[in-house]
Amino acid sequence: KAGVTQTPRYLIKTRGQQVTLSCSPISGHRSVSWYQQTPGQGLQFLFEYFSETQRNKGNFPGRFSGRQFSNSRSEMNVSTLELGDSALYLCASSIGPPVSSYEQYFGPGTRLTVT
Amino acid sequence: AQSVTQLGSHVSVSEGALVLLRCNYSSSVPPYLFWYVQYPNQGLQLLLKYTSAATLVKGINGFEAEFKKSETSFHLTKPSAHMSDAAEYFCAVSDGYGYSTLTFGKGTMLLVSP
């Protein structure tokens, strides 16, 4: 069974631009969560989607948005990029909530560098 | 609100020595606790989880953790370190209800020397 795939793996953008990251969950998984990982703040939850609906959102500005498609694939978008948005963005998929019952499987991440 | 504190951003051990990575949590409800491992340039992999069954939880690769409610701790141990254990380890907590999320600690880098 293929794991969680994230594209692209590496990305360099300029301040003020916008970026879209993609996540394909494991086949049969309907829940997708996004996390931001930085050396300073560690792993922080961005949002979770289940059955095309955002079910939970972390404490991030509105520049961060996402969506989930009918095939469970998910995208996240960051507009008006800032230097502080440089991070590893991780996607995790699971069969569904809650996390106590269903393991989250993480992708390798997209490394975003903002210059 | 939930939180996790991992004591020690770096832990160094010799190959064959005991591994002990510390995790303390704060939660207003009975927690669900997890340990993840991250190898360089990879995502996180679940090592083990506590979901209110046995307090001693056995995971993959010889790791285990013990839930101690009185100490609000969930320390990760392995009797004998292997070079391949060198990685970053994250403790996480969830209240386990509905669409609850994982709250991660800052991580502990485990260094294993020959």
Side-chain angles (χ1 to χ4, degrees):
Chain A
K1 201 180 230 184
V4 178
T5 57
Q6 293 187 244
T7 56
R9 290 292 311 278
Y10 302 91
L11 204 50
I12 300 175
K13 289 286 189 179
T14 303
R15 210 168 20 172
Q17 288 185 315
Q18 75 165 21
V19 67
T20 299
L21 312 182
S22 180
C23 171
S24 293
I26 292 172
S27 177
H29 286 194
R30 296 169 61 196
S31 174
V32 173
S33 298
W34 288 90
Y35 296 84
Q36 181 196 64
Q37 186 177 21
T38 60
Q41 299 298 317
L43 278 154
Q44 294 184 286
F45 170 74
L46 279 158
F47 23 67
E48 176 186 7
Y49 289 87
F50 179 71
S51 295
E52 302 180 64
T53 302
Q54 187 180 93
R55 304 289 180 170
N56 216 332
K57 189 178 193 305
N59 188 24
F60 278 82
R63 300 185 296 106
F64 291 81
S65 62
R67 57 178 176 170
Q68 186 180 34
F69 302 95
S70 59
N71 62 357
S72 295
R73 191 177 69 84
S74 177
E75 288 181 347
M76 68 163 281
N77 184 277
V78 188
S79 62
T80 319
L81 284 166
E82 301 178 358
L83 295 178
D85 297 333
S86 294
L88 181 67
Y89 289 88
L90 292 165
C91 166
S93 79
S94 66
I95 292 174
V99 294
S100 56
S101 298
Y102 302 107
E103 179 177 346
Q104 289 196 333
Y105 292 83
F106 284 79
T110 294
R111 172 77 61 187
L112 172 65
T113 302
V114 182
T115 62
Chain B
Q2 305 160 115
S3 66
V4 174
T5 301
Q6 291 184 241
L7 297 175
S9 59
H10 291 78
V11 169
S12 295
V13 299
S14 299
E15 193 172 20
L18 171 72
V19 175
L20 171 61
L21 304 182
R22 300 178 187 274
C23 171
N24 288 89
Y25 70 91
S26 172
S27 177
S28 57
V29 298
Y32 295 88
L33 295 159
F34 308 78
W35 274 101
Y36 284 85
V37 61
Q38 186 178 32
Y39 297 98
N41 298 316
Q42 293 187 28
L44 278 70
Q45 180 184 13
L46 180 66
L47 278 175
L48 49 82
K49 66 178 181 181
Y50 166 77
T51 56
S52 74
T55 56
L56 183 62
V57 182
K58 294 188 183 299
I60 62 172
N61 301 338
F63 285 95
E64 62 182 37
E66 186 173 8
F67 172 70
K68 292 187 177 181
K69 184 178 178 181
S70 60
E71 299 176 9
T72 61
S73 68
F74 190 57
H75 302 331
L76 182 71
T77 61
K78 182 174 180 178
S80 177
H82 193 273
M83 296 294 289
S84 61
D85 294 327
E88 191 158 22
Y89 292 79
F90 294 90
C91 182
V93 64
S94 167
D95 63 22
Y97 298 106
Y99 296 98
S100 60
T101 63
L102 291 170
T103 299
F104 286 91
K106 295 285 190 183
T108 297
M109 183 68 72
L110 177 65
L111 307 169
V112 183
S113 56

